[in-house]
Amino acid sequence: LAKDFPMPQSPIRVLFVCHGNICRSTMAEFVLKDMVARRGLAEQFRIESAATSTEEIGNPVHPGTAAVLREHGIGGFEGKRARQLRRADYDAFDFIIGMDTANIRNMNWILGGDPDGKVLKLLEFAGTNRSVDDPWYTGDFETTYADVCDGCEGLLAYLGM
């Protein structure tokens, strides 16, 4: 990982961001929630997700995302509704993690910059600058799930968990 952070205090506050907050960022939110719960660390985290656009605000999780999460035994997302990233989120979270380069650009614009270096691309935690492809366009929710898992495991390894 290119950046080095001071270790955040508990709870560690993570916000995942993608374009619409119905596919990738939502998948990452619930994958990481599942990973920390399985490790007995749920109380040490606050994990949410948001969108850079307004297109899907208020909408539920995409059916493809819901199906792949269920297929892997992950639940709890039924009440999730898309919300937009807000400038106030910058101070409310320790890590603000986007899925692709366009997300990062839009996140920095919405947040008014990244003076503390909190804005990262998910797969940086997996040792690559590659983007998580948007299954809204690819239709490949399994590949997105694999990438999200790699990034979330990398984040937990970075945090020493």
Side-chain angles (χ1 to χ4, degrees), residues 44-154:
Q44 296 179 40
F45 284 85
R46 176 178 158 217
I47 304 162
E48 296 182 26
S49 62
T52 58
S53 78
T54 58
E55 294 166 31
E56 300 288 348
I57 301 307
N59 288 339
V61 175
H62 187 283
T65 295
V68 80
L69 289 172
R70 278 191 200 100
E71 185 178 308
H72 291 279
I74 299 170
F77 55 83
E78 294 75 15
K80 170 68 180 172
R81 295 290 179 266
R83 77 162 178 92
Q84 189 173 25
L85 180 66
R86 300 178 290 267
R87 188 170 287 227
D89 288 327
Y90 195 80
D91 292 328
F93 290 91
D94 302 305
F95 296 93
I96 305 172
I97 302 173
M99 301 294 146
D100 63 37
T101 305
N103 297 156
I104 300 295
R105 182 184 63 244
N106 293 331
M107 290 158 63
N108 280 309
W109 183 80
I110 292 167
L111 296 168
D114 182 21
D116 300 328
K118 297 178 177 188
V119 174
L120 298 149
K121 197 168 9 172
L122 180 60
L123 289 178
E124 285 184 70
F125 291 102
T128 179
N129 196 38
R130 197 167 52 77
S131 293
V132 176
D133 290 333
D134 191 343
W136 173 267
Y137 298 105
T138 67
D140 187 353
F141 288 86
E142 278 297 333
T143 295
T144 298
Y145 178 81
D147 283 347
V148 163
C149 287
D150 288 347
C152 289
E153 288 288 359

